[in-house]
Amino acid sequence: MLSAKNAFTFVNNAAQNLKPGSPAFALHASLSHIASLQKAPGFFSVSDNDERFVSDIVTGLPIAALAKAGNTLERGPHSDKVAKAFKWITETMDERGIISSSMQSTPQIFLTFGLAELYAESGDPRVRKPLGLALERLFSLQLEDGTYGRSVSGQEGIADAAIATITFRIAWDAGAPFPGNATRAFDKAHDLAMGRLKVTEGELLDSRGMPVRAGTAQEVLNYGSVLALLKSSGKQFPSGNSMKFLLHCRELKHSSNAISPEGWMLNAWMWKHFGLGQWQFLYDSIRGGRSRFCQVQSLRPVLFQLSHPSQRTLAQRPHGRSRGDACPHADVRSRSPITIDTAQ
C-alpha cells in the first residue's frame, strides 16, 4: 500500500511507461477515470441526469481517492479537480454543516468522508472549518442504535455507520475539530458491530437478526462493515469475540454472487489499518499464551507489507494529533509508531 506522497511519485514517475496490468497503470487509469466524471459545477457524477443525492455520494469518494493519491487543493496532477469539488462543497454547505439537500444520511456521510481524507492528507487550514461543521452535523445524525437514520435506497445502514465511524477516526487522527461526545459515538459504533456477531454459533447477522448467507454480496458487505466498525471504533481489536470472524474474513472470495464494492472497500480499509501489534496479539491468542516479540521476527517483512501502507507516523504530520492527546478508546498496539528494518 502507498502513502499519498509515494502514490503521487509512483504514478508520475511511471507516467511515461505505463504497462497494462501493472499497479502504476491501474492507479493512473483509475484516477484519470475518476477525474473525468467531474461536472461543470464541481460535483462528480456517472450521469448527466443523476439525482442530486447520488451526485453527493459519488463526489465524496472521488475527493477521498484523489486526496489519497497526493492531490490536494494546490498539489498533484488533479489538484484542479479537488479544488473545484471543494469549492462546490463549501458553496453548498450551510451554517449547520449540512452539505446535501437530501434528507437521507448517506450523502452527508460520504461527503464528510471526502473532506476528512482531504484534510488528513493536506492539513490545509481552508479545509478545517468546513470539515468541523460537517463532522458536527454527522454527530447529530447518529441514533441510539449506532446507525445514522435513513440510508439511500439500496445502501445498508451498517455500511453507512462504518464509513461514518471511519470518517471520525480519520478526522481525529488528523487533528481536525472534533465536536460532540466522541467517546459516545465510538461506543455506539462498537455496540452496533458487536450486535451483529453471534459469537456462540459463529454466525454473522444481518439487520433483521438473520444469519448472513455465505458467498453473497451481503456477506462481503456485512463482514467489511462489522470489522471496519470494530477497528475504527478504537476498542480492543481483535477481541476474543471477533477473532473467528476476522480469520474467516480472509477467506472471502470475489465471485459473480459477491459483487459489493462498498463491502470490498471496507474490508480493504480494515486490513490496511491492521497494525503490527495486532498481528502479535492475534498470534499470541492463537498460541494461547503471551509470546516474546522474537517469535514473530521471521514474519516482519510480511507484517510490514500488510499493516504499514506508509512509514509516516502521526508525529511526522504537523497537523496531526500528538501521541499525548487523549483518543477515544485508543489502542496502544495500533497507534504506537514502529520502525522495522525490512532488509533483514
Side-chain angles (χ1 to χ4, degrees), residues 79-255:
S79 59
D80 58 327
K81 302 291 186 179
V82 175
K84 193 172 183 179
F86 177 70
K87 183 174 184 290
W88 174 76
I89 286 178
T90 54
E91 291 178 347
T92 302
M93 181 184 292
D94 66 17
E95 67 279 0
R96 296 169 294 171
I98 299 175
I99 308 174
S100 173
S101 59
S102 171
M103 297 301 292
Q104 296 159 314
S105 57
T106 309
Q108 182 79 21
I109 291 171
F110 277 76
L111 286 168
T112 308
F113 170 65
L115 285 176
E117 286 284 24
L118 178 58
Y119 185 72
E121 297 300 335
S122 68
D124 195 314
R126 290 171 291 183
V127 183
R128 185 177 176 85
K129 182 177 179 180
L131 173 58
L133 290 173
L135 287 169
E136 190 167 359
R137 173 61 180 171
L138 206 52
F139 269 111
S140 71
L141 293 175
Q142 190 183 37
L143 304 178
E144 284 302 312
D145 64 359
T147 62
Y148 287 78
R150 190 161 58 97
S151 302
V152 299
S153 177
Q155 178 74 356
E156 290 261 3
I158 196 167
D160 273 356
I163 294 171
T165 310
I166 288 172
T167 300
F168 292 149
R169 180 58 58 191
I170 292 169
W172 176 269
D173 288 346
F178 216 70
N181 188 335
T183 301
R184 182 170 172 76
F186 285 119
D187 280 342
K188 289 180 181 179
H190 183 267
D191 292 345
L192 172 63
M194 292 304 296
R196 294 295 186 94
L197 302 182
K198 193 173 182 180
V199 179
T200 54
E201 298 181 21
E203 293 179 325
L204 188 67
L205 306 180
D206 61 20
S207 58
R208 301 168 299 169
M210 302 296 293
V212 175
R213 191 157 58 91
T216 63
Q218 188 185 41
E219 181 189 37
V220 174
L221 180 65
N222 278 271
Y223 265 100
S225 300
V226 168
L227 294 174
L229 275 168
L230 291 174
K231 181 70 189 75
S232 56
S233 66
K235 290 191 174 183
Q236 186 184 74
F237 178 75
S239 65
N241 288 338
S242 62
M243 190 77 70
K244 63 182 69 177
F245 297 95
L246 182 70
L247 293 174
H248 178 74
C249 174
R250 300 180 308 167
E251 308 303 321
L252 294 177
K253 299 289 193 302
H254 288 277
S255 75

Side-chain angles (χ1 to χ4, degrees), residues 1-2 68 267-275 306-309:
M1 303 295 287
L2 300 171
K68 292 295 288 183
N267 274 286
W269 183 92
M270 183 273 298
W271 284 113
K272 171 184 163 185
H273 293 86
F274 199 79
L306 287 170
S307 62
H308 286 265

